[in-house]
Amino acid sequence: NGVVYAAGLDGIYRSSDKGQTFEKVLDGAYFRGIDVVSSAPNNVYVNNSSGEWKSVDCGKTFARISDSSYPTGITENNFYNMTRNISVSPVNPQKMALCWFSHSNYSSVKYYSDNGGVTWKKAVDENVNNFYNINNRYSVFVWSPVSENTVYGFGGDYVAKSTDAGKHYYYSFNGGNMSCLVQRNHFNVYNPDIVCFGNQDYDGAYTTDGGESWNSICMQNGSKYTGAVYGSYSADENTVIVLGSTGLNEDGTPATSWNATVEIRISGDGGNTWQKTGIILPPIQQIQWKQSCTQSANNKNVLFASNMRSTDFGYSWSAMNGCESVITHNPYGKKELYGINKGDIVVSYDEGATWQIFYELSDGVAQSDSYLTDLSYDGINNIMYYAGGVGFGKIQNGISTDLTENLHS
């Protein structure tokens, strides 16, 4: 009938002219839940941190229907600590779901009602078949249009499903995990079936069999919800190095960035336990593209983590001169290493001990940290490809060719 409803920070609004004008029909703070269902077209369901209301006349009037079992928010006017996202089954409007959420410690709790929202009970998250632990962000619910007992709960970096009207939720994501993977990834240079993917929030995972199975890397020794890894590398089946950040300052206080206090850490038992090397990257090396970890293709004992180099398989480290980060290598010939240094491409023929200019893209002028961020070497045709703020291009026979225009065709 063209009626439009809107939940706002100071109440519920209603429009009878298809959204041209609105009038407030219910006062209240921070309404973060609103739902309608086709099986009861005159009903409107809304909620905030203090309660739940229902309208049976297309939003003209509302009556509070929840009792003392309703999960009230910590504060009524705090966006990060509230009860939100009421959702109603279109098959049976007596069945509902919502969530209580505290952002300060990610304590999200799902609730269900089977009597039209009068009483509410806590749901149970059955953390079975979920590779990582539950990351309790607030849930958004979607009910099945054909089954009154099936509801999906999104939030927490995976999809959960309930088949008992919201009483129990189970992982239902076909092997997926919506973790934030932003690191530069390197396959093991000696065995491409080995690769490690660091990620934000969960540290990451690595495989030794080409992705058939995965092991989580828990750099906090036991916790699967810890810090951020923007650089990692599996040196063999058991040895993993990470550039790990816990989001804390060196004195233990919370940092303003996830990518803070980045330390080289190493595991020799497949990520079960970790050794803190005590080597903290300087702020200029904590830029994500500089957090590249890899290995010499000529000497397995030589490892790289950002601008740091180890010649004893990770037991000791020293800073390199003339290279901010090792990015790639030539898989053929001398298997030389290529890196980036202050906007220029550099090369090493002695496993990173010394570096020299391969190509000066910066023309000797200091550049921003995003000027040059990625390299890839074609060892068959001897072509270096580069990308960053400088654009996209290639270098062959000492000549640089800009290929940026090809990205827009």
Side-chain angles (χ1 to χ4, degrees):
N1 56 12
V3 179
V4 180
Y5 313 101
L9 299 182
D10 62 349
I12 299 298
Y13 290 79
R14 179 182 187 272
S15 172
S16 58
D17 56 9
K18 300 182 180 180
Q20 296 298 312
T21 61
F22 283 85
E23 63 173 333
K24 186 190 287 188
V25 292
L26 180 63
D27 283 316
Y30 279 70
F31 278 91
R32 298 298 297 176
I34 186 168
D35 201 11
V36 295
V37 291
S38 58
S39 57
N42 295 327
N43 291 1
V44 187
Y45 307 85
V46 300
N47 82 294
N48 65 5
S49 287
S50 61
E52 172 207 359
W53 289 260
K54 175 183 175 181
S55 172
V56 294
D57 55 8
C58 295
K60 295 178 182 178
T61 61
F62 283 85
R64 182 165 180 160
I65 57 175
S66 53
D67 65 10
S68 60
S69 65
Y70 182 85
T72 55
I74 297 174
T75 56
E76 288 191 2
N77 59 354
N78 188 331
F79 175 81
Y80 293 107
N81 301 287
M82 60 173 46
T83 312
R84 59 189 300 158
N85 298 347
I86 189 169
S87 184
V88 183
S89 167
V91 180
N92 181 358
Q94 292 294 106
K95 297 185 176 182
M96 303 178 179
L98 53 74
C99 83
W100 177 93
F101 177 65
S102 171
H103 182 271
S104 61
N105 57 4
Y106 278 55
S107 296
S108 178
V109 181
K110 300 178 180 71
Y111 284 81
Y112 70 94
S113 173
D114 53 16
N115 59 4
V118 177
T119 59
W120 292 88
K121 298 179 181 179
K122 286 185 179 181
V124 177
D125 275 309
E126 304 285 1
N127 195 28
V128 179
N129 295 327
N130 182 18
F131 186 76
Y132 294 118
N133 280 354
I134 297 173
N135 184 352
N136 275 324
R137 308 178 199 273
Y138 61 80
S139 293
V140 178
F141 302 97
V142 177
W143 287 87
S144 165
V146 295
S147 170
E148 65 180 62
N149 291 319
T150 300
V151 58
Y152 293 88
F154 300 82
D157 295 342
Y158 70 99
V159 180
K161 178 182 180 180
S162 172
T163 57
D164 56 7
K167 296 180 178 66
H168 299 82
Y169 287 87
Y170 293 86
Y171 172 92
S172 181
F173 201 22
N174 194 32
N177 290 280
M178 294 298 291
S179 54
C180 180
L181 196 159
V182 292
Q183 77 161 31
R184 181 186 310 280
N185 300 303
H186 292 284
F187 289 92
N188 182 281
V189 297
Y190 297 98
N191 182 355
D193 283 341
I194 302 175
V195 63
C196 184
F197 292 101
N199 65 39
Q200 187 169 285
D201 292 336
Y202 302 103
D203 291 337
Y206 81 102
T207 179
T208 61
D209 55 12
E212 291 295 328
S213 61
W214 293 85
N215 300 303
S216 63
I217 55 174
C218 310
M219 70 176 182
Q220 296 303 307
N221 296 343
S223 172
K224 290 187 179 182
Y225 178 68
T226 52
V229 171
Y230 299 118
S232 65
Y233 181 78
S234 293
D236 60 22
E237 289 81 355
N238 298 307
T239 306
V240 185
I241 58 173
V242 301
L243 292 170
S245 170
T246 61
L248 301 176
N249 295 314
E250 291 187 53
D251 60 3
T253 59
T256 58
S257 169
W258 287 317
N259 195 23
T261 317
V262 178
E263 179 184 24
I264 300 176
R265 298 182 181 180
I266 185 167
S267 172
D269 57 7
N272 292 316
T273 59
W274 289 87
Q275 176 187 353
K276 297 181 180 182
T277 65
I279 300 173
I280 307 297
L281 296 185
I284 196 172
Q285 290 298 133
Q286 293 181 13
I287 300 166
Q288 288 181 15
W289 71 261
K290 293 183 181 180
Q291 295 191 42
S292 173
C293 300
T294 187
Q295 187 174 22
S296 167
N298 288 316
N299 186 340
K300 291 183 178 181
N301 289 322
V302 178
L303 304 176
F304 302 95
S306 189
N307 68 327
M308 304 299 292
R309 174 177 180 260
S310 172
T311 59
D312 52 12
F313 211 59
Y315 288 97
S316 61
W317 298 82
S318 60
M320 295 182 290
N321 292 319
C323 181
E324 295 176 308
S325 186
V326 181
I327 306 299
T328 189
H329 73 283
N330 182 358
Y332 302 97
K334 296 181 180 180
K335 299 183 179 180
E336 67 274 12
L337 299 162
Y338 292 94
I340 296 174
N341 190 63
K342 298 179 180 179
D344 295 325
I345 303 174
V346 292
V347 61
S348 175
Y349 294 95
D350 53 10
E351 285 80 58
T354 61
W355 293 86
Q356 62 192 62
I357 296 291
F358 174 78
Y359 196 89
E360 190 177 84
L361 285 169
S362 67
D363 294 327
V365 180
Q367 300 293 338
S368 68
D369 286 317
S370 61
Y371 182 77
L372 180 62
T373 60
D374 204 3
L375 304 174
S376 184
Y377 193 78
D378 175 359
I380 296 177
N381 299 297
N382 293 316
I383 301 174
M384 171 65 75
Y385 293 91
Y386 62 86
V390 66
F392 168 57
K394 69 177 182 178
I395 298 168
Q396 187 175 25
N397 298 323
I399 300 174
S400 177
T401 305
D402 188 0
L403 303 175
T404 307
E405 290 185 357
N406 297 347
L407 301 177
H408 307 293
S409 60

